[in-house]
Amino acid sequence: MKQDGVQVDEIILSSQVMEVCWTHALSSEKEEIMGLLVGRVEGSKVKFFTLKVLKRLTKEKDRVEIDPSQLMAGAEFAASLKDENGDELRVMGWYHSHPHITVHPSAVDLRTQAAYQLMDSSFVGVIFSVFCTDRSTGVDTRRVTGFQADTSEPGSPSCRSVQISTDENISFTSREIFVSAYKALGELWLVLAEEEREEFNKFKAEGEIDPIAEINNQAQLSTRLAHLHRHLVMPVMQTMRLKLQIAKVNAKKTEERKMNAQVSGSLKTGDGAMKKSENVEKECRREKNDTPGKGIEKRRRSSQEVCAEKRIRSDHQPDQICLKKTPQDGPSRSSRFSDIIFKSDIESRKKSDSQEF
Ligand SMILES: [Zn+2]
């Protein structure tokens, strides 16, 4: 849905998108990187749920060039994703890095941005400034900024800053989108490795080269791939392992909460059953004409035992369903539930007995 004339006043990135963008930006200290941001417009906000990492045609310190086919691939990728309403997503922004330089967009960035805005006025740009270390203090400052090109005045476009923020809640718009954002992290390594191999093959295709030079080039390729592995793949893998561990802990906690809730629910059922069982006991007394008193202690006890038997059968009827359900899951859960209810039942009964008699 194109929304001409709407001025974008906020860019919201999902936490996954922000994570992948930073990882991408920090993957290269010498050259700029670039990618496409995929999302939708909501009023004056643009929300990004996922992204497409792009393969570069040229790798420069202050410039990045992309094959137009990559932009087409980005548009197709976006259209293949549906949001929670079943609507297609779109490429609504681009991001690139500024290694060792300011976060502000250059004149070239603003012209590129103005061209994108001609196609869609809500299109935005995001820049990640990385590897800006203050030599005197050793402090490494990383910055991110959102912007649009202001073409209201004649001449070169100027920069209009757009507020940028991260929202964790929009990461889970749909499972497909959530997975695609993390897939981009895996694609990052593949795209960068492919760029290195293409560069190596370019030299090879230029003609016959000295065998020693070729060995040197192969060694260079191996060194660069090893560098990528050490500085990109390994940290990403460690992060993923940590996330998996956190997910397992959270899943265990959720399971424990569910179990506690079930136990609590069963105990409540047990309380209700206790009242029923008291009625059964009273009924027993009536049947046996048994009234509490000192002279009939022996007979009353015997009556209690009979009633208790009836009560246990009555009380534990619902749990028998549980027991039938769970043998294949192991006896521990069902028996534990039964045990808890049973113990509680006995305790309550003792209490009830002591109050009553
Ligand atoms: Zn730039």
Side-chain angles (χ1 to χ4, degrees), residues 32 62 94 96-98 101 104-106 109 127:
E32 290 189 2
D62 55 358
W94 64 301
H96 71 288
S97 67
H98 277 184
I101 53 170
H104 300 298
S106 66
D109 292 338
I127 298 174

Side-chain angles (χ1 to χ4, degrees), residues 196-265:
E196 294 293 352
R197 287 196 188 92
E198 278 184 3
E199 206 169 319
F200 171 75
N201 290 331
K202 217 187 289 173
F203 279 109
K204 229 178 161 185
E206 279 176 1
E208 202 174 314
I209 56 169
D210 189 280
I212 296 175
E214 190 171 356
I215 292 167
N216 175 65
N217 288 351
Q218 279 174 342
Q220 281 285 342
L221 174 65
S222 300
T223 308
R224 289 187 182 195
L225 291 177
H227 180 85
L228 272 176
H229 186 264
R230 186 178 170 191
H231 294 280
L232 179 69
V233 180
M234 290 303 286
V236 167
M237 242 165 68
Q238 284 165 357
T239 307
M240 287 298 123
R241 279 181 188 159
L242 192 66
K243 281 177 187 287
L244 275 173
Q245 282 175 355
I246 292 168
K248 277 181 186 173
V249 170
N250 286 340
K252 199 178 169 186
K253 279 183 184 171
T254 308
E255 184 63 25
E256 281 172 1
R257 273 199 294 273
K258 275 185 190 169
M259 281 176 70
N260 289 337
Q262 282 177 8
V263 169
S264 168

Side-chain angles (χ1 to χ4, degrees), residues 311-322:
R311 181 164 51 192
I312 288 163
R313 280 205 296 273
S314 161
D315 290 350
H316 291 138
Q317 214 164 0
D319 299 303
Q320 284 170 5
I321 297 164
C322 185

Side-chain angles (χ1 to χ4, degrees), residues 108-159:
V108 176
D109 292 338
L110 289 169
R111 282 200 296 274
T112 307
Q113 175 61 31
Y116 283 133
Q117 279 176 230
L118 282 177
M119 293 185 280
D120 193 324
S121 63
S122 301
F123 208 88
V124 295
V126 178
I127 298 174
F128 294 85
S129 168
V130 286
F131 302 107
C132 291
T133 309
D134 187 322
R135 286 186 183 176
S136 58
T137 60
V139 174
D140 177 21
T141 308
R142 297 166 189 176
R143 288 195 173 91
V144 57
T145 192
F147 70 100
Q148 280 201 306
D150 185 350
T151 51
S152 56
E153 299 293 325
S156 301
S158 59
C159 175

